[in-house]
Amino acid sequence: GAGVSQSPSNKVTEKGKDVELRCDPISGHTALYWYRQSLGQGLEFLIYFQGNSAPDKSGLPSDRFSAERTGGSVSTLTIQRTQQEDSAVYLCASSLVSIAGGGEQYFGPGTRLTVT
Amino acid sequence: AQSVTQLGSHVSVSEGALVLLRCNYSSSVPPYLFWYVQYPNQGLQLLLKYTTGATLVKGINGFEAEFKKSETSFHLTKPSAHMSDAAEYFCAVYTGGGNKLTFGTGTQLKVEL
C-alpha cells in the first residue's frame, strides 16, 4: 500500500514569507507526528496528533509554527514569517498504534525547506 | 529528561567487515529503544526495536542490537558490511510522558571496497 507522502519535496522561500507543508499519512493510521531534521542534528520532535485528542504541541519551537490535521487524515504544518534558522528537512510520520503500545512510526520522505 | 548519544558521527568500514554503531541513552525509566536507517533523500526506516523481553533484537538486513541495561547501551551490529548498508543510522529512545521519540544525532556509515 501507499506510504506516507509529503509535499512539496523541496521548498525555497524568502525570509519573512509563510509556508505550508503537507503530509498524507498512511490510510487508517490514527497517530501523526512532525519532526524537524537540521543539518548535523538528530530529529527534533515538533507535534503529535492522535485521533480526535488535543495535539501535543510541546515541541513547536515558537508561535510562528502551527499545525492542523483535518478529518483525522491530512496534516499541514505552517511556518509564519520564516527565518533562516527554519531551514531544515521537515519529516512526517504516522503510526497505527502508539509508541507506548509498541507501534512503529512510518516516515515520509520529508520536505526540504530553504529560507533565503 | 531522556537523551541519546551516538558516538562517532562518521564510521567507515570495509565491505565484509563488522559494523558496530554505538548508542548510549540516559533514562530514569525502562526505555523502548529503536534504530532507524535513512538513505539519501528518503525518510527513516525502522531497522529494529526493543520494548520488553529478549535483550538481543534482530532486525532487517542482517542487523541486530543488544539492550544492555547495566551499560545503558543499545549498540547496532552487523557481521559483514555490504555496500548497500551505506546510509545514516539513528538511534532513538522512548520513555513515556508523551508519544514521541528522542533521537540521537545520527551516524553516517560509509562502506569501502
Side-chain angles (χ1 to χ4, degrees), chain A residues 14-31:
Chain A
E14 293 180 351
K15 178 182 174 181
K17 295 286 181 67
D18 297 352
V19 295
E20 286 189 351
L21 312 180
R22 177 187 168 105
C23 172
D24 282 89
I26 293 173
S27 179
H29 281 195
T30 57

Side-chain angles (χ1 to χ4, degrees), chain A residues 33 37 42 58 99-100 102 108, chain B residues 38 43 46 49 90 94 99-100 104:
Chain A
Y33 314 76
Q37 184 178 21
S58 61
I99 302 173
Chain B
Q38 186 178 32
L46 182 67
K49 66 180 179 182
F90 291 92
Y94 168 75
N99 248 301
K100 54 194 172 189

Side-chain angles (χ1 to χ4, degrees), chain A residues 1-94:
Chain A
V4 178
S5 61
Q6 293 185 245
S7 60
S9 56
N10 282 282
K11 176 71 176 180
V12 180
T13 190
E14 293 180 351
K15 178 182 174 181
K17 295 286 181 67
D18 297 352
V19 295
E20 286 189 351
L21 312 180
R22 177 187 168 105
C23 172
D24 282 89
I26 293 173
S27 179
H29 281 195
T30 57
L32 188 147
Y33 314 76
W34 282 99
Y35 292 88
R36 178 169 69 176
Q37 184 178 21
S38 303
L39 189 63
Q41 304 291 317
L43 276 72
E44 173 189 13
F45 167 80
L46 297 177
I47 189 168
Y48 161 67
F49 295 91
Q50 174 63 59
N52 295 321
S53 301
D56 177 355
K57 304 179 182 180
S58 61
L60 294 178
S62 77
D63 58 8
R64 296 186 295 105
F65 288 72
S66 63
E68 62 178 22
R69 189 177 185 193
T70 54
S73 181
V74 172
S75 177
T76 303
L77 177 68
T78 301
I79 308 173
Q80 296 179 308
R81 305 182 301 283
T82 53
Q83 303 295 312
Q84 289 186 330
E85 60 263 29
D86 300 334
S87 296
V89 176
Y90 290 82
L91 291 166
C92 175
S94 70

Side-chain angles (χ1 to χ4, degrees), chain B residues 26-78:
Chain B
S26 66
S27 173
S28 58
V29 299
Y32 289 179
L33 296 158
F34 303 79
W35 275 101
Y36 284 85
V37 60
Q38 186 178 32
Y39 297 101
N41 300 314
Q42 294 186 27
L44 277 69
Q45 180 183 9
L46 182 67
L47 276 177
L48 48 79
K49 66 180 179 182
Y50 167 80
T51 54
T52 59
T55 56
L56 181 62
V57 181
K58 295 186 185 298
I60 61 171
N61 302 339
F63 284 93
E64 63 182 37
E66 186 172 10
F67 169 55
K68 292 187 176 181
K69 182 179 179 180
S70 62
E71 299 177 8
T72 60
S73 69
F74 192 57
H75 302 330
L76 182 70
T77 61
K78 182 174 180 177

